[in-house]
Amino acid sequence: MRKFFTCLAVFLVLALFMGVNPPTSSAADDENCLMCHKYRKMGIISPEGVRKYYYVDEPTFMQTVHSRVPCRDCHYFIKQIPHKPVNTGVTCDTKCHVINPATMERFSHKPIADVYEKSVHGRAKRPEGEKGAVDKNKPYCIFCHINPIYNPEERETGLPKEITDRCNVCHENEEFAKHWYMHTSRRVRDVKRQGTQIVELCNTCHKDENMLEEQEMLNEALLHKEMGKKFTFAGESYDESFHAKVTKYGLKGAATCVDCHVDSDNYYMAVHDIRNSSDPSSPVHPDNRVNTCKKCHYHGEADESFVNVDPHPTARLSDNPFIFYASIIYNIIAYTAFFGLVGLKMLETVGRLRDGVKLTIRNGSSWRRGLK
Ligand code: HEC
Ligand code: HEC
Ligand code: HEC
Ligand code: HEC
Ligand code: HEC
Ligand code: HEC
Ligand code: HEC
């Protein structure tokens, strides 16, 4: 009932706006979805009280990597207009009408989705039933990828004319040159996320101990699946490592999550194929660790004993009893030394006061015996 009223409200607002603004169409929008979806007021307040926006800003959309994909290639479940309420989500493995010039077939992210499906994070778009419980905390494609604008800087400056002019000499079609320039220039530049961004992304989840403990419990109960030793505190323990500390202080090139957990052979594909460390294809599987550390520690230091240095160090009793007890002993020594010294100084001060020393500050800092 509530949903009906929200829909009604949306349509009333629409009706109001449509009278003022005549609809336009665009290349990617042959089906005229924007006739309704371009209105900025369009949206609902969900039963949970969250404001959801349903409008698409066409000029922005046209500068994104998906600008040529017709709306319904992604929102494939919309079959007629006006359409029915939507309760299916967009999956990233559908075929769209953009032709892949290498194969001359309709394009799809299915190869990536297939690899991803088998990785530790693989999940269904809208998990239901038993799978729902174990899948809901895993990221789906759009957790890591929004629909990025090709080259944000060029939004203001425009494309470099000296380059596109040159393309036009032969291709004789400004739109063609513009589009292909944007498509390739985005990839020629370094669009790879920086180390700090990767750590932030992975740690959105891998530092959420409550969620991870719940996940571990569910996996064990429902799938009889054993998680890695560091599973519930990987993010927190990485922060304790040498790599994290130097990365935080701006050193580029120290290992972040993907440098160890992702095969560098084809990074862009392998980043979707993260596996548990007990899987022989994981770069952090005990058999592969020397090679993984060697990528950067190539001066001969990365041997069997070097790779035993824990990249996820903690002082937890369950994880590393040696460090746990060592840190207790260290703390005892450190606190004893500190409070011992402070105590001694205090006793000395009390003694001096009793001797009649006055505490006045001269030239900033020194104590002197008062003049009698
Ligand atoms: C006649 C106007 C109209 C047209 C044309 C239209 N829509 Fe919608 N659309 C709406 C309204 C109204 C809602 C909100 C419905 C609701 O709250 O259940 C909506 C909601 C949606 C949603 C979000 C639903 C959700 O609950 O997450 C999607 C996705 C969507 N439309 C896609 C499309 C696509 C793709 C097209 C073109 C093929 C299209 N729409 C054409 C009016 C329209
Ligand atoms: C490349 C695929 C793709 C294309 C092309 C695309 N969308 Fe979407 N759209 C998505 C995804 C992914 C979401 C997030 C919701 C989800 O995961 O189901 C979304 C969300 C939406 C929503 C909000 C629904 C919600 O649940 O928040 C609307 C409305 C919408 N799209 C309309 C359009 C219209 C209109 C067009 C064409 C101009 C379009 N989309 C083109 C993938 C696409
Ligand atoms: C000297 C003429 C010339 C110039 C300058 C030129 N191209 Fe081309 N381009 C061609 C020819 C000819 C082909 C077909 C080549 C082939 O199939 O081997 C082609 C093919 C392409 C294709 C492949 C199209 C497809 O569907 O297979 C793209 C993309 C492309 N050019 C983009 C560009 C861009 C972007 C520029 C400017 C940076 C540019 N070209 C400059 C002549 C040129
Ligand atoms: C855990 C985060 C994560 C998830 C989930 C994820 N990706 Fe990625 N993806 C990345 C990273 C990291 C890169 C490397 C590029 C970068 O650094 O941004 C990447 C790269 C890509 C690229 C190459 C982009 C380019 O412009 O070169 C595509 C395409 C892609 N992913 C598609 C997908 C699809 C489809 C899914 C869902 C099946 C998916 N990704 C799920 C993190 C993720
Ligand atoms: C949206 C939350 C989320 C994000 C973001 C995320 N993960 Fe995960 N990750 C999970 C969950 C949940 C699991 C448990 C999967 C399962 O049930 O097997 C997991 C599992 C793993 C595992 C295997 C754990 C084991 O014991 O089997 C590794 C390794 C891992 N993630 C690394 C990463 C890296 C590296 C990144 C960043 C590129 C990342 N994750 C981003 C939620 C996330
Ligand atoms: C992406 C590159 C990269 C990878 C992969 C990498 N490291 Fe490092 N590591 C660095 C950098 C950079 C430093 C800091 C500078 C230095 O000391 O050379 C560092 C420092 C260290 C240090 C402390 C300083 C030292 O040199 O003794 C240890 C221990 C270490 N790494 C262990 C490992 C282990 C074990 C692996 C494999 C599981 C590994 N690293 C993988 C880049 C990397
Ligand atoms: C220097 C290499 C290195 C870096 C950097 C690194 N890891 Fe690990 N990670 C490992 C190794 C090796 C293991 C296996 C440790 C063990 O079981 O003793 C592991 C274990 C894990 C596990 C437990 C599951 C499993 O596969 O055993 C997760 C989850 C994880 N790492 C996530 C992350 C995240 C998230 C980051 C970044 C914040 C990160 N790692 C950074 C090397 C690394």
Side-chain angles (χ1 to χ4, degrees), residues 65 92-93 107 109-110 112-114 116-117 121 139-145 186-187 191-194 198 201-202 258 267-269 271-272 274:
V65 293
C92 304
D93 58 357
F107 181 78
H109 286 304
K110 193 166 186 307
I112 298 178
D114 286 348
Y116 189 69
E117 187 60 36
H121 296 129
Y140 192 66
C141 316
I142 60 165
F143 188 94
C144 302
H145 300 288
R186 183 179 162 75
R187 273 85 187 183
V191 292
K192 213 165 143 176
R193 282 162 231 232
Q194 298 184 342
I198 289 283
L201 173 68
C202 305
V258 291
Y267 170 72
Y268 293 93
M269 188 55 119
V271 72
H272 304 106
I274 294 173

Short mmCIF file of all heavy atoms in Angstrom, two decimals, residues 65 92-93 107 109-110 112-114 116-117 121 139-145 186-187 191-194 198 201-202 258 267-269 271-272 274, ligand 4:
data_model
loop_
_atom_site.label_atom_id
_atom_site.label_comp_id
_atom_site.label_asym_id
_atom_site.label_seq_id
_atom_site.Cartn_x
_atom_site.Cartn_y
_atom_site.Cartn_z
N VAL A 65 31.89 5.67 -19.11
CA VAL A 65 32.35 4.53 -19.90
C VAL A 65 31.18 3.72 -20.48
O VAL A 65 31.38 2.99 -21.44
CB VAL A 65 33.25 3.58 -19.09
CG1 VAL A 65 34.56 4.25 -18.75
CG2 VAL A 65 32.58 3.11 -17.83
N CYS A 92 26.16 -8.00 -14.23
CA CYS A 92 27.14 -7.47 -15.17
C CYS A 92 27.55 -8.50 -16.22
O CYS A 92 28.51 -8.29 -16.94
CB CYS A 92 28.36 -6.94 -14.41
SG CYS A 92 27.91 -5.72 -13.17
N ASP A 93 26.80 -9.58 -16.32
CA ASP A 93 27.18 -10.60 -17.30
C ASP A 93 26.22 -10.71 -18.48
O ASP A 93 26.23 -11.68 -19.21
CB ASP A 93 27.31 -11.96 -16.60
CG ASP A 93 26.02 -12.37 -15.91
OD1 ASP A 93 25.06 -11.58 -15.93
OD2 ASP A 93 25.96 -13.48 -15.35
N PHE A 107 29.02 -7.38 -26.92
CA PHE A 107 29.96 -7.35 -25.80
C PHE A 107 29.32 -7.79 -24.48
O PHE A 107 28.14 -7.57 -24.25
CB PHE A 107 30.53 -5.94 -25.65
CG PHE A 107 31.51 -5.86 -24.52
CD1 PHE A 107 32.80 -6.33 -24.68
CD2 PHE A 107 31.11 -5.39 -23.28
CE1 PHE A 107 33.69 -6.32 -23.62
CE2 PHE A 107 31.99 -5.37 -22.22
CZ PHE A 107 33.28 -5.83 -22.40
N HIS A 109 30.59 -8.58 -20.03
CA HIS A 109 31.63 -8.78 -19.00
C HIS A 109 31.58 -10.21 -18.47
O HIS A 109 32.15 -10.48 -17.41
CB HIS A 109 31.40 -7.83 -17.82
CG HIS A 109 31.76 -6.41 -18.10
ND1 HIS A 109 33.00 -6.03 -18.52
CD2 HIS A 109 31.04 -5.26 -17.98
CE1 HIS A 109 33.02 -4.71 -18.66
NE2 HIS A 109 31.85 -4.23 -18.34
N LYS A 110 30.92 -11.10 -19.18
CA LYS A 110 30.76 -12.46 -18.67
C LYS A 110 32.11 -13.15 -18.35
O LYS A 110 32.22 -13.81 -17.32
CB LYS A 110 29.95 -13.31 -19.64
CG LYS A 110 29.49 -14.62 -19.04
CD LYS A 110 28.41 -15.27 -19.89
CE LYS A 110 27.84 -16.51 -19.23
NZ LYS A 110 28.81 -17.50 -18.82
N ILE A 112 34.78 -11.95 -17.13
CA ILE A 112 35.21 -11.50 -15.80
C ILE A 112 34.27 -12.07 -14.74
O ILE A 112 34.71 -12.57 -13.70
CB ILE A 112 35.22 -9.96 -15.71
CG1 ILE A 112 36.22 -9.40 -16.72
CG2 ILE A 112 35.57 -9.49 -14.30
CD1 ILE A 112 36.28 -7.89 -16.75
N ALA A 113 32.96 -12.02 -15.03
CA ALA A 113 31.98 -12.51 -14.06
C ALA A 113 32.20 -14.00 -13.77
O ALA A 113 32.06 -14.44 -12.62
CB ALA A 113 30.56 -12.26 -14.57
N ASP A 114 32.58 -14.78 -14.80
CA ASP A 114 32.81 -16.21 -14.59
C ASP A 114 34.00 -16.47 -13.67
O ASP A 114 33.97 -17.35 -12.81
CB ASP A 114 33.04 -16.92 -15.94
CG ASP A 114 31.74 -17.07 -16.73
OD1 ASP A 114 30.67 -16.82 -16.13
OD2 ASP A 114 31.80 -17.40 -17.93
N TYR A 116 35.16 -14.31 -11.53
CA TYR A 116 34.80 -13.77 -10.23
C TYR A 116 33.93 -14.74 -9.42
O TYR A 116 34.12 -14.90 -8.21
CB TYR A 116 34.05 -12.45 -10.43
CG TYR A 116 33.81 -11.71 -9.14
CD1 TYR A 116 34.87 -11.14 -8.45
CD2 TYR A 116 32.53 -11.59 -8.60
CE1 TYR A 116 34.66 -10.49 -7.25
CE2 TYR A 116 32.32 -10.94 -7.42
CZ TYR A 116 33.39 -10.38 -6.75
OH TYR A 116 33.19 -9.75 -5.57
N GLU A 117 33.02 -15.40 -10.13
CA GLU A 117 32.10 -16.34 -9.50
C GLU A 117 32.85 -17.42 -8.71
O GLU A 117 32.40 -17.87 -7.66
CB GLU A 117 31.24 -16.97 -10.61
CG GLU A 117 30.09 -17.85 -10.17
CD GLU A 117 29.08 -17.12 -9.30
OE1 GLU A 117 28.81 -15.93 -9.54
OE2 GLU A 117 28.59 -17.76 -8.37
N HIS A 121 35.19 -14.13 -3.32
CA HIS A 121 34.11 -13.15 -3.21
C HIS A 121 32.90 -13.47 -4.08
O HIS A 121 31.91 -12.75 -4.02
CB HIS A 121 34.63 -11.75 -3.57
CG HIS A 121 35.67 -11.25 -2.63
ND1 HIS A 121 36.88 -10.75 -3.05
CD2 HIS A 121 35.69 -11.17 -1.29
CE1 HIS A 121 37.60 -10.39 -2.00
NE2 HIS A 121 36.90 -10.62 -0.92
N PRO A 139 31.35 -8.55 -1.79
CA PRO A 139 31.11 -7.43 -2.73
C PRO A 139 30.60 -7.92 -4.08
O PRO A 139 31.07 -8.94 -4.58
CB PRO A 139 32.49 -6.80 -2.88
CG PRO A 139 33.48 -7.87 -2.54
CD PRO A 139 32.79 -8.82 -1.60
N TYR A 140 29.62 -7.23 -4.69
CA TYR A 140 29.29 -7.48 -6.09
C TYR A 140 30.00 -6.41 -6.91
O TYR A 140 30.52 -5.43 -6.36
CB TYR A 140 27.76 -7.45 -6.30
CG TYR A 140 27.37 -8.00 -7.66
CD1 TYR A 140 27.58 -9.33 -7.97
CD2 TYR A 140 26.85 -7.17 -8.66
CE1 TYR A 140 27.27 -9.85 -9.21
CE2 TYR A 140 26.53 -7.68 -9.91
CZ TYR A 140 26.75 -9.01 -10.18
OH TYR A 140 26.45 -9.51 -11.42
N CYS A 141 30.04 -6.59 -8.24
CA CYS A 141 30.80 -5.67 -9.11
C CYS A 141 30.65 -4.20 -8.71
O CYS A 141 31.64 -3.49 -8.59
CB CYS A 141 30.40 -5.83 -10.57
SG CYS A 141 30.23 -7.53 -11.14
N ILE A 142 29.40 -3.76 -8.50
CA ILE A 142 29.22 -2.32 -8.28
C ILE A 142 29.66 -1.85 -6.90
O ILE A 142 29.68 -0.67 -6.63
CB ILE A 142 27.78 -1.82 -8.58
CG1 ILE A 142 26.77 -2.52 -7.69
CG2 ILE A 142 27.44 -1.99 -10.04
CD1 ILE A 142 25.42 -1.80 -7.70
N PHE A 143 30.06 -2.78 -6.04
CA PHE A 143 30.66 -2.32 -4.78
C PHE A 143 32.00 -1.65 -5.08
O PHE A 143 32.37 -0.65 -4.47
CB PHE A 143 30.88 -3.50 -3.82
CG PHE A 143 31.32 -3.07 -2.45
CD1 PHE A 143 30.39 -2.88 -1.45
CD2 PHE A 143 32.66 -2.83 -2.18
CE1 PHE A 143 30.79 -2.45 -0.19
CE2 PHE A 143 33.07 -2.41 -0.92
CZ PHE A 143 32.13 -2.22 0.07
N CYS A 144 32.74 -2.21 -6.02
CA CYS A 144 34.06 -1.67 -6.35
C CYS A 144 34.03 -0.75 -7.57
O CYS A 144 34.94 0.06 -7.75
CB CYS A 144 35.05 -2.80 -6.60
SG CYS A 144 35.22 -3.91 -5.20
N HIS A 145 33.06 -0.91 -8.45
CA HIS A 145 33.02 -0.11 -9.68
C HIS A 145 31.72 0.67 -9.78
O HIS A 145 30.66 0.07 -9.89
CB HIS A 145 33.08 -1.01 -10.92
CG HIS A 145 34.30 -1.84 -11.00
ND1 HIS A 145 35.53 -1.31 -11.30
CD2 HIS A 145 34.49 -3.17 -10.85
CE1 HIS A 145 36.43 -2.29 -11.32
NE2 HIS A 145 35.83 -3.43 -11.04
N ARG A 186 41.71 6.69 -21.53
CA ARG A 186 41.45 6.31 -20.15
C ARG A 186 42.34 5.14 -19.74
O ARG A 186 42.79 5.04 -18.60
CB ARG A 186 39.98 5.92 -19.99
CG ARG A 186 39.65 5.58 -18.56
CD ARG A 186 38.21 5.21 -18.37
NE ARG A 186 38.10 4.50 -17.12
CZ ARG A 186 38.15 5.08 -15.94
NH1 ARG A 186 38.29 6.37 -15.85
NH2 ARG A 186 38.07 4.36 -14.84
N ARG A 187 42.57 4.21 -20.65
CA ARG A 187 43.37 3.03 -20.32
C ARG A 187 44.87 3.26 -20.45
O ARG A 187 45.65 2.61 -19.78
CB ARG A 187 42.97 1.85 -21.21
CG ARG A 187 41.82 1.05 -20.66
CD ARG A 187 40.53 1.65 -21.04
NE ARG A 187 39.39 1.00 -20.40
CZ ARG A 187 38.14 1.34 -20.64
NH1 ARG A 187 37.86 2.33 -21.48
NH2 ARG A 187 37.17 0.73 -20.02
N VAL A 191 45.08 4.18 -14.71
CA VAL A 191 43.83 4.24 -13.97
C VAL A 191 43.81 3.25 -12.81
O VAL A 191 42.83 3.12 -12.11
CB VAL A 191 42.58 3.96 -14.85
CG1 VAL A 191 42.36 5.08 -15.82
CG2 VAL A 191 42.68 2.62 -15.54
N LYS A 192 44.90 2.55 -12.64
CA LYS A 192 44.98 1.60 -11.56
C LYS A 192 44.86 2.35 -10.23
O LYS A 192 45.43 3.43 -10.08
CB LYS A 192 46.38 0.96 -11.64
CG LYS A 192 46.44 -0.45 -11.21
CD LYS A 192 47.76 -1.01 -11.69
CE LYS A 192 48.32 -1.95 -10.67
NZ LYS A 192 49.54 -2.59 -11.12
N ARG A 193 44.11 1.78 -9.33
CA ARG A 193 43.98 2.44 -8.03
C ARG A 193 45.33 2.48 -7.31
O ARG A 193 46.13 1.58 -7.46
CB ARG A 193 43.00 1.68 -7.14
CG ARG A 193 41.57 1.95 -7.50
CD ARG A 193 40.69 0.90 -6.93
NE ARG A 193 39.83 0.40 -7.99
CZ ARG A 193 38.52 0.31 -7.92
NH1 ARG A 193 37.91 0.61 -6.81
NH2 ARG A 193 37.82 -0.11 -8.94
N GLN A 194 45.52 3.54 -6.52
CA GLN A 194 46.77 3.62 -5.76
C GLN A 194 46.71 2.72 -4.54
O GLN A 194 45.62 2.36 -4.11
CB GLN A 194 46.98 5.07 -5.33
CG GLN A 194 47.12 5.92 -6.55
CD GLN A 194 47.41 7.36 -6.21
OE1 GLN A 194 47.20 7.79 -5.09
NE2 GLN A 194 47.89 8.08 -7.20
N ILE A 198 43.50 1.00 -2.53
CA ILE A 198 43.24 -0.44 -2.47
C ILE A 198 43.04 -0.86 -1.01
O ILE A 198 42.08 -1.55 -0.67
CB ILE A 198 44.41 -1.24 -3.09
CG1 ILE A 198 44.44 -1.06 -4.61
CG2 ILE A 198 44.35 -2.71 -2.71
CD1 ILE A 198 43.42 -1.86 -5.38
N LEU A 201 39.73 0.26 0.18
CA LEU A 201 38.64 -0.54 -0.41
C LEU A 201 38.51 -1.89 0.29
O LEU A 201 37.43 -2.27 0.75
CB LEU A 201 38.90 -0.73 -1.91
CG LEU A 201 37.97 -1.67 -2.66
CD1 LEU A 201 36.58 -1.07 -2.74
CD2 LEU A 201 38.48 -1.96 -4.07
N CYS A 202 39.61 -2.63 0.37
CA CYS A 202 39.54 -3.98 0.95
C CYS A 202 39.18 -3.90 2.44
O CYS A 202 38.43 -4.73 2.94
CB CYS A 202 40.86 -4.71 0.79
SG CYS A 202 41.46 -4.79 -0.90
N VAL A 258 46.62 -6.24 -2.88
CA VAL A 258 46.61 -6.91 -4.18
C VAL A 258 48.00 -7.34 -4.64
O VAL A 258 48.13 -8.26 -5.45
CB VAL A 258 45.95 -6.03 -5.27
CG1 VAL A 258 44.46 -5.91 -5.02
CG2 VAL A 258 46.60 -4.68 -5.37
N TYR A 267 47.13 -8.63 -14.06
CA TYR A 267 46.54 -8.02 -12.87
C TYR A 267 45.04 -7.74 -13.04
O TYR A 267 44.23 -8.03 -12.17
CB TYR A 267 47.30 -6.74 -12.53
CG TYR A 267 46.63 -5.89 -11.48
CD1 TYR A 267 46.61 -6.30 -10.16
CD2 TYR A 267 46.02 -4.68 -11.81
CE1 TYR A 267 46.00 -5.53 -9.18
CE2 TYR A 267 45.41 -3.91 -10.85
CZ TYR A 267 45.39 -4.33 -9.54
OH TYR A 267 44.78 -3.58 -8.60
N TYR A 268 44.68 -7.18 -14.20
CA TYR A 268 43.30 -6.70 -14.37
C TYR A 268 42.28 -7.83 -14.34
O TYR A 268 41.14 -7.62 -13.96
CB TYR A 268 43.18 -5.88 -15.65
CG TYR A 268 43.95 -4.60 -15.53
CD1 TYR A 268 45.27 -4.53 -15.97
CD2 TYR A 268 43.41 -3.50 -14.91
CE1 TYR A 268 46.00 -3.37 -15.81
CE2 TYR A 268 44.13 -2.34 -14.73
CZ TYR A 268 45.43 -2.27 -15.18
OH TYR A 268 46.15 -1.14 -14.99
N MET A 269 42.68 -9.03 -14.76
CA MET A 269 41.77 -10.16 -14.66
C MET A 269 41.91 -10.80 -13.27
O MET A 269 40.93 -11.10 -12.61
CB MET A 269 42.08 -11.18 -15.76
CG MET A 269 41.06 -12.31 -15.84
SD MET A 269 39.38 -11.69 -16.03
CE MET A 269 38.93 -12.40 -17.59
N VAL A 271 42.70 -9.73 -10.41
CA VAL A 271 42.18 -9.04 -9.23
C VAL A 271 40.75 -9.53 -8.91
O VAL A 271 40.26 -9.38 -7.80
CB VAL A 271 42.23 -7.49 -9.43
CG1 VAL A 271 41.19 -7.04 -10.43
CG2 VAL A 271 42.04 -6.76 -8.12
N HIS A 272 40.13 -10.16 -9.92
CA HIS A 272 38.79 -10.74 -9.70
C HIS A 272 38.85 -12.20 -9.30
O HIS A 272 37.84 -12.87 -9.24
CB HIS A 272 37.94 -10.56 -10.96
CG HIS A 272 37.85 -9.13 -11.38
ND1 HIS A 272 38.52 -8.61 -12.45
CD2 HIS A 272 37.20 -8.09 -10.81
CE1 HIS A 272 38.27 -7.31 -12.55
NE2 HIS A 272 37.48 -6.97 -11.56
N ILE A 274 40.63 -13.61 -6.48
CA ILE A 274 41.31 -13.75 -5.19
C ILE A 274 40.88 -15.07 -4.55
O ILE A 274 39.71 -15.41 -4.54
CB ILE A 274 40.98 -12.56 -4.28
CG1 ILE A 274 41.58 -11.29 -4.89
CG2 ILE A 274 41.51 -12.78 -2.86
CD1 ILE A 274 41.19 -10.02 -4.19
C1 HEC B 4 36.74 -6.23 -4.63
C2 HEC B 4 36.62 -5.23 -5.64
C3 HEC B 4 36.21 -5.60 -7.06
C4 HEC B 4 35.08 -6.30 -7.44
C5 HEC B 4 34.00 -6.91 -6.56
C6 HEC B 4 35.09 -6.31 -8.89
N1 HEC B 4 36.20 -5.64 -9.36
FE1 HEC B 4 36.63 -5.24 -11.31
N2 HEC B 4 38.40 -4.36 -10.76
C7 HEC B 4 38.82 -4.18 -9.45
C8 HEC B 4 40.16 -3.58 -9.47
C9 HEC B 4 40.99 -3.23 -8.25
C10 HEC B 4 40.51 -3.42 -10.86
C11 HEC B 4 41.82 -2.89 -11.46
C12 HEC B 4 41.69 -1.49 -11.92
C13 HEC B 4 41.74 -0.56 -10.75
O1 HEC B 4 42.74 -0.55 -10.05
O2 HEC B 4 40.75 0.14 -10.57
C14 HEC B 4 39.38 -3.90 -11.62
C15 HEC B 4 39.31 -3.85 -13.02
C16 HEC B 4 38.19 -4.17 -13.77
C17 HEC B 4 38.02 -3.94 -15.18
C18 HEC B 4 39.04 -3.27 -16.11
C19 HEC B 4 38.76 -1.80 -16.09
C20 HEC B 4 39.60 -0.95 -17.02
O3 HEC B 4 39.13 0.14 -17.34
O4 HEC B 4 40.69 -1.33 -17.39
C21 HEC B 4 36.78 -4.41 -15.53
C22 HEC B 4 36.14 -4.38 -16.91
C23 HEC B 4 36.16 -4.95 -14.32
N3 HEC B 4 37.03 -4.78 -13.28
C24 HEC B 4 34.89 -5.54 -14.27
C25 HEC B 4 34.34 -6.14 -13.14
C26 HEC B 4 33.12 -6.95 -13.13
C27 HEC B 4 32.26 -7.25 -14.35
C28 HEC B 4 32.91 -7.36 -11.85
C29 HEC B 4 31.81 -8.28 -11.31
C30 HEC B 4 31.75 -9.59 -11.88
C31 HEC B 4 34.00 -6.80 -11.04
N4 HEC B 4 34.84 -6.08 -11.86
C32 HEC B 4 34.12 -6.94 -9.66
C33 HEC B 4 38.12 -4.49 -8.30
C34 HEC B 4 36.91 -5.20 -8.26
#
